[in-house]
Amino acid sequence: MDFNVKKLASGAGQFFTRAVQYTEEKLGQAERTELDAHFENLMSRADCTKNWTEKIYRQTEVLLQPNPIDHTGARIEEFLYEKLDRKVPCRVTNAELLGHYMEDAAREFGAGSPYGSTLIKVGECERHLGASEREFLQTASISFLNPLRNFLEGDWRTISKERRLLENLRLDLDACKARLKKAKVAEAKAAVCVHAPDFQETRPRNYVLSASASALWTEEVEKAEQELRVAQTEFDRQAEVTRLLLEGISSTHVNHLRCLNEFVEAQAVYYKQCHLHMQELQKELGRMPNAFAINSIHSAGPGGSAADGELSPVETDTLKIEEVQAPATGTRKAKVLYDYDAADSSELSLLADELITVYTVPGMDSDWLIGERGNHKGKVPVTYLELLS
C-alpha cells in the first residue's frame, strides 16, 4: 500500500503536540484560551438538551414497549427491514391477542352460554382496545420518538463533531502561543549576549555563535508568529461555525415542543377511546342476563323456585319501577362517575358528576340500585356511582 509518510509523520507530530498541551493544561503548567461566557452558556445548554432528550427518548420507548425483550426484538426487526428497504409489518398488540384468545375460547365453550357470550363481548372490546393502542403507538412514534431520535443521531452528532474540531484547534492555538512565548524568551536571552559581550571571559568565537543563535531565534519568533496568526484564524472560523450550531438548539426546543403537544394529543385520544370502549362494554354486560341468577335456578329445588324465599330472576325482571317506594331509612346520596344512557324505560339515564338518591329493594340484583332524581326514577348500575356518606 502507498503510505504518505510525510503526512503520517505530520499527523503524529500534531497529535503529540496536542497531547502535551492538554497534559500541561491539566497540570497547570500551560495557559488555556478561554471561550467567552455566552459561548460557554450555549455549550452548557446544548449538553443539557442532549442529556434530557436522551433520557426522555429512552423512557418513552419503555412506555410504548414495556417489555425490554420485546423492545429489543422490535428494534432489531425495524433495523433489518430498514436495511432491506422494506416496510415494517404491523404487530399484533397484547390486547388484540387476548381478544382473539377469548373469542376462540367462547367458540369452544359455546357462544350461547352465559360465559361464552360474555367472553365474546369482552374479547371484542379487547380487540378494539388493541387497535386503539396500535394506532397510538404508530402516531407517538412518528410525531414524537422520530424527531427526538433524529436530533440525537443527526444534529447532535454534527454539533459534537464540530466541538471536537474546535477543541483540537484551541489546543493548536495554545501550543502556538506557548511556542511563541518560549521563542521570545530565548531571543531576548540571545540578544543580551550579543549586545553585551564580555571579551575578557568570552572568546570571540563564542560571540559569533551567540550572534548566529540570536538570528536563528529571531527567525523562529517570526515563524511562530506566522503559525499563531494561522491558528488564530482557523480557531475563530471554527468557533463561529460551532456557535451557529449551538444557537440552533433554540429551534430544536421549538420543534420538540410541537412534537410534545402532538404526543399529548395522541395520548389523550387513545385514553378517550379506551374509556368509551370500556363504557360500552359495561353497558352491554349490564344488559346481559345475570349468570349467577341463572345458576341459582338450576340449583333450586324440584318446584323450580329458589330456596329460602328468594325471588327468581323472572320475578326480578318483572319488577315495576314506578311501583317501588323509597324506604323510610336506607337511602343514600351517590355521585355519578360516568355518563350512562338508559337501555330501557326501567333504567335511569345519568350524567357525570351529578348527585342522585339511591336505595335497594328486596330481591334486586346487587349490581343495580334504584336511583331517584327529582320526579324521575329507575335502575342504575352500581359501577357508575360513588356512594357518599
Side-chain angles (χ1 to χ4, degrees):
M1 299 177 65
D2 184 18
F3 289 101
N4 190 332
V5 179
K6 185 176 180 181
K7 183 178 181 180
L8 182 63
S10 176
Q14 191 177 47
F15 175 80
F16 178 76
T17 302
R18 292 171 180 172
V20 171
Q21 177 65 26
Y22 180 81
T23 304
E24 290 180 349
E25 288 176 358
K26 291 299 181 181
L27 297 175
Q29 299 175 356
E31 296 180 359
R32 171 190 174 95
T33 299
E34 298 294 342
L35 299 169
D36 60 85
H38 176 64
F39 200 100
E40 292 288 352
N41 290 335
L42 288 176
M43 288 199 297
S44 177
R45 187 164 179 254
D47 289 333
C48 184
T49 300
K50 181 262 181 183
N51 293 334
W52 285 110
T53 299
E54 194 170 38
K55 289 181 180 180
I56 293 173
Y57 173 77
R58 299 302 178 195
Q59 192 57 37
T60 305
E61 281 189 322
V62 174
L63 172 68
L64 300 181
Q65 185 60 262
N67 192 329
I69 298 178
D70 294 343
H71 172 68
T72 303
R75 290 300 301 272
I76 294 176
E77 183 182 12
E78 290 177 0
F79 176 78
L80 293 176
Y81 275 96
E82 182 180 351
K83 292 302 179 183
L84 296 174
D85 196 19
R86 297 177 59 184
K87 183 180 180 181
V88 180
C90 294
R91 302 184 187 88
V92 178
T93 61
N94 293 328
E96 288 178 305
L97 192 59
L98 176 61
H100 288 304
Y101 286 165
M102 287 183 172
E103 291 176 342
D104 292 341
R107 284 189 285 270
E108 290 288 337
F109 299 146
S113 66
Y115 184 36
S117 59
T118 304
L119 277 174
I120 291 178
K121 294 295 184 182
V122 178
E124 183 180 0
C125 179
E126 292 295 334
R127 286 195 297 104
H128 290 321
L129 293 175
S132 299
E133 179 185 3
R134 186 174 65 252
E135 183 179 355
F136 166 64
L137 294 179
Q138 293 174 349
T139 304
S141 178
I142 295 173
S143 63
F144 190 62
L145 274 185
N146 287 349
L148 297 185
R149 182 170 60 243
N150 291 338
F151 167 73
L152 293 173
E153 297 179 354
D155 296 347
W156 182 251
R157 286 187 178 180
T158 302
I159 292 175
S160 299
K161 178 182 176 182
E162 297 300 330
R163 285 177 62 178
R164 286 194 300 268
L165 181 56
L166 178 64
E167 179 64 12
N168 289 337
L169 292 178
R170 186 199 62 77
L171 290 172
D172 293 342
L173 176 63
D174 290 337
C176 289
K177 290 180 179 180
R179 192 180 305 117
L180 177 61
K181 184 177 180 180
K182 292 178 181 178
K184 286 185 175 180
V185 171
E187 181 190 28
K189 290 181 179 179
V192 171
C193 295
V194 172
H195 294 299
D198 188 355
F199 289 102
Q200 293 180 355
E201 299 180 2
T202 306
R203 298 178 183 178
R205 180 172 176 274
N206 291 341
Y207 174 74
V208 173
L209 291 176
S210 298
S212 177
S214 177
L216 290 175
W217 280 116
T218 300
E219 182 179 352
E220 183 67 21
V221 169
E222 293 177 354
K223 181 180 178 182
E225 289 176 345
Q226 176 63 25
E227 291 178 351
L228 178 60
R229 284 192 293 269
V230 174
Q232 186 69 56
T233 301
E234 293 179 352
F235 173 78
D236 293 340
R237 183 188 303 113
Q238 183 60 32
E240 181 63 20
V241 171
T242 308
R243 183 184 63 80
L244 292 175
L245 289 175
L246 294 175
E247 289 177 347
I249 292 295
S250 298
S251 299
T252 299
H253 285 188
V254 173
N255 183 42
H256 288 181
L257 174 61
R258 177 183 57 80
C259 297
L260 182 60
N261 287 327
E262 293 180 2
F263 174 72
V264 172
E265 182 66 24
Q267 203 169 27
V269 170
Y270 167 59
Y271 287 130
K272 182 179 180 180
Q273 290 177 344
C274 292
H275 179 65
L276 292 176
H277 289 319
M278 294 307 300
Q279 275 191 319
E280 185 64 27
L281 176 63
Q282 286 182 316
K283 291 179 182 179
E284 292 185 1
L285 294 182
R287 299 189 189 104
M288 296 177 66
N290 192 320
F292 298 104
I294 294 177
N295 289 337
S296 67
I297 295 178
H298 297 292
S299 61
S305 61
D308 300 330
E310 293 180 358
L311 294 177
S312 69
V314 176
E315 293 172 330
T316 302
D317 291 340
T318 58
L319 182 67
K320 296 185 180 301
I321 298 299
E322 61 273 9
E323 298 178 358
V324 175
Q325 299 297 325
T329 60
T331 60
R332 301 179 65 180
K333 290 292 184 179
K335 179 182 179 182
V336 179
L337 299 177
Y338 319 107
D339 293 343
Y340 179 76
D341 295 329
D344 52 46
S345 59
S346 67
E347 296 180 6
L348 179 66
S349 297
L350 304 174
L351 295 176
D353 298 330
E354 70 174 335
L355 294 178
I356 62 173
T357 302
V358 295
Y359 51 88
T360 60
V361 295
M364 189 172 183
D365 188 349
S366 60
D367 293 335
W368 295 83
L369 295 172
I370 300 298
E372 288 188 359
R373 183 182 60 242
N375 297 327
H376 300 283
K377 180 190 305 182
K379 295 192 300 182
V380 292
V382 176
T383 54
Y384 282 68
L385 304 175
E386 178 185 356
L387 297 178
L388 306 176
S389 58

